[in-house]
Amino acid sequence: MIQTPYYLIDKSKLLQNMEKIAKLRELSGARALLALKCFATWSVFDLMREYMDGTTSSSLNEVRLGHERFGKETHAYSVAYADYEIDEVVSHADKIIFNTIGQLQRFEKQSSGIVRGLRLNPGVSSSSFDLADPARPFSRLGEWDMAKVEPVMDMISGFMIHNNCENGDFDLFDKMLGQIEEKFSPLLKKADWVSLGGGIHFTGDNYPLTKFAERLKRFSGEFGVQVYLEPGEASITRSTTLEVTVLDKLYNGKDLVVVDSSIEAHMLDLLIYRESAKVHPNQGPHRYMVCGKSCLAGDIFGEFDFENELNVGDRISIQDTAGYTMVKKNWFNGVKMPAIAIRELDGSIRTVREFSYADYEQSLS
């Protein structure tokens, strides 16, 4: 058995998402780009590139990784590019999407050799968290004033609009896309392509994939644009577990167990958004609060029900841990960083990366 903690990516479960993406591409004509900000574990890109059109990025490092490890189409986006990195960004990208008109004009000369786009902010989103809401008041994410965009249309050929966040509601998506059409119609009619971003949970159970495809196709036809989607979580949902081991147990008003992992170090979004991890089947007569091993008092995965009593040495599989985990993991408390393992389609498991003291030491100075 592999020493815990480790992330275990199951290719057979990843394949289920890929097949839904392939079906959507076929039905709608839309292209799908993996959002590297969510998931960038390139050891499974060999499978994913068969079903997706390329990658989209949020930084120089991501655009380079997409170009070198995934291939196909490589879209570059960043909230702001620095002078010292723009030439390298352009060298790795097929398209570059600027967040503001100011950045577009500043780097007009450097980006003249590739396709250019601009981010639009429609002022509406599906986010239930102000922290993640791209349409929050005073948002810096994209241009919203059509009158300012019109004069620079000769410099760009398309737009990126990202306003869906964990949106599994097709009717809400449809409503917001209608608002986008109404607000930006004159601009969209002049575009060649439009990316509708990520955050659309179209690989989830019971999502109306055919209706979604028809809506995308209608949008594409009405404005004469190539539609892009940027699935992050939708690409890798339910494909991965974080395998941990119970190190200690105690009772302090509740039954607690301490495991060899940490939400602050290994599943940071649980802490940021005050959410609970997932354990399956989460039923049985024995209830435990599963706690991380860092010194942070709130380092808690959640409370779960188990069929049997937990003891030191028992293993727990934390479910659905691919998104925003491996790209955010850190060395808080010097806690051992999880290895990364892959379950191949034939059922065999191989470790593709382990982290050592040298990695910890060399991340500092």
Side-chain angles (χ1 to χ4, degrees):
M1 296 180 71
I2 303 172
Q3 176 64 56
T4 59
Y6 63 95
Y7 301 102
L8 177 60
I9 305 169
D10 189 327
K11 274 191 173 181
S12 66
K13 294 180 180 178
L14 182 62
L15 182 59
Q16 294 176 23
N17 297 322
M18 294 297 102
E19 289 173 340
K20 289 183 179 181
I21 289 173
K23 182 178 180 181
L24 178 67
R25 290 167 67 211
E26 179 183 359
L27 292 175
S28 69
R31 296 177 184 173
L33 307 174
L34 174 63
L36 296 175
K37 65 180 180 180
C38 174
F39 181 83
T41 304
W42 49 264
S43 292
V44 290
F45 285 178
D46 60 332
L47 173 65
M48 302 179 81
R49 73 166 60 92
E50 295 182 30
Y51 298 87
M52 303 186 74
D53 297 284
T55 57
T56 185
S57 59
S58 301
S59 66
L60 168 57
N61 283 338
E62 285 186 354
V63 71
R64 178 175 175 177
L65 183 75
H67 175 68
E68 294 182 354
R69 292 293 186 175
F70 199 103
K72 304 181 81 169
E73 290 193 53
T74 307
H75 289 203
Y77 166 77
S78 176
V79 172
Y81 294 108
D83 289 353
Y84 66 82
E85 63 183 0
I86 189 65
D87 289 337
E88 190 176 354
V89 168
V90 169
S91 73
H92 293 298
D94 302 300
K95 282 187 178 72
I96 185 167
I97 300 164
F98 291 100
N99 186 60
T100 65
I101 293 170
Q103 284 257 303
L104 170 65
Q105 293 173 330
R106 180 173 184 173
F107 298 120
E108 178 183 7
K109 181 178 179 180
Q110 294 95 323
S111 62
S112 61
I114 63 172
V115 175
R116 292 185 295 215
L118 185 67
R119 179 168 182 170
L120 297 179
N121 191 327
V124 294
S125 87
S126 66
S127 179
S128 58
F129 296 99
D130 180 65
L131 180 66
D133 184 357
R136 64 190 287 176
F138 316 113
S139 174
R140 73 198 191 288
L141 300 175
E143 296 284 354
W144 58 272
D145 188 343
M146 199 165 63
K148 292 181 178 179
V149 177
E150 285 277 9
V152 299
M153 284 301 299
D154 61 334
M155 298 170 60
I156 61 175
S157 62
F159 300 104
M160 189 266 276
I161 304 168
H162 174 48
N163 66 326
N164 287 278
C165 302
E166 297 185 351
N167 186 9
D169 183 341
F170 170 74
D171 291 334
L172 177 58
F173 167 82
D174 181 35
K175 177 183 176 181
M176 292 196 302
L177 186 57
Q179 292 171 310
I180 288 169
E181 290 169 327
E182 183 178 356
K183 180 171 183 177
F184 293 124
S185 178
L187 296 179
L188 298 175
K189 288 178 179 178
K190 295 180 180 180
D192 296 328
W193 56 272
V194 174
S195 171
L196 296 176
I200 309 165
H201 199 51
F202 63 88
T203 56
D205 292 339
N206 303 317
Y207 192 88
L209 198 66
T210 301
K211 287 177 66 176
F212 182 47
E214 290 171 350
R215 185 65 176 93
L216 295 177
K217 195 169 185 178
R218 188 164 78 248
F219 175 83
S220 175
E222 181 175 345
F223 295 101
V225 294
Q226 172 63 59
V227 172
Y228 286 90
L229 298 175
E230 301 177 3
E233 191 73 45
S235 301
I236 45 78
T237 185
R238 294 179 296 186
S239 68
T240 301
T241 58
L242 174 59
E243 302 294 319
V244 301
T245 298
V246 175
L247 302 179
D248 197 9
K249 58 185 297 187
L250 63 153
Y251 180 82
N252 192 10
K254 290 183 178 181
D255 287 309
L256 315 178
V257 292
V258 179
V259 299
D260 57 354
S261 181
S262 161
I263 65 167
E264 182 161 17
H266 307 152
M267 292 189 70
L268 187 58
D269 273 8
L270 295 183
L271 184 64
I272 292 174
Y273 295 108
R274 298 291 193 267
E275 294 182 328
S276 176
K278 302 172 187 175
V279 169
H280 184 76
N282 194 16
Q283 61 185 27
H286 302 279
R287 187 166 185 80
Y288 292 91
M289 179 183 288
V290 178
C291 307
K293 67 172 294 181
S294 81
C295 67
L296 181 70
D299 191 352
I300 299 169
F301 286 87
E303 294 187 37
F304 312 102
D305 297 319
F306 296 87
E307 193 65 37
N308 301 304
E309 181 182 350
L310 292 180
N311 291 298
V312 172
D314 288 344
R315 291 201 172 190
I316 301 173
S317 293
I318 308 296
Q319 302 294 305
D320 203 8
T321 61
Y324 299 99
T325 55
M326 286 169 269
V327 295
K328 287 191 174 186
K329 64 187 185 302
N330 60 72
W331 287 109
F332 178 65
N333 269 197
V335 173
K336 177 180 171 63
M337 191 167 283
I340 300 174
I342 297 172
R343 179 179 284 119
E344 299 288 353
L345 294 176
D346 64 6
S348 62
I349 297 177
R350 63 187 177 99
T351 302
V352 295
R353 181 66 197 271
E354 292 180 289
F355 300 90
S356 66
Y357 169 75
D359 295 305
Y360 167 64
E361 179 188 39
Q362 291 167 19
S363 72
L364 303 167
S365 59

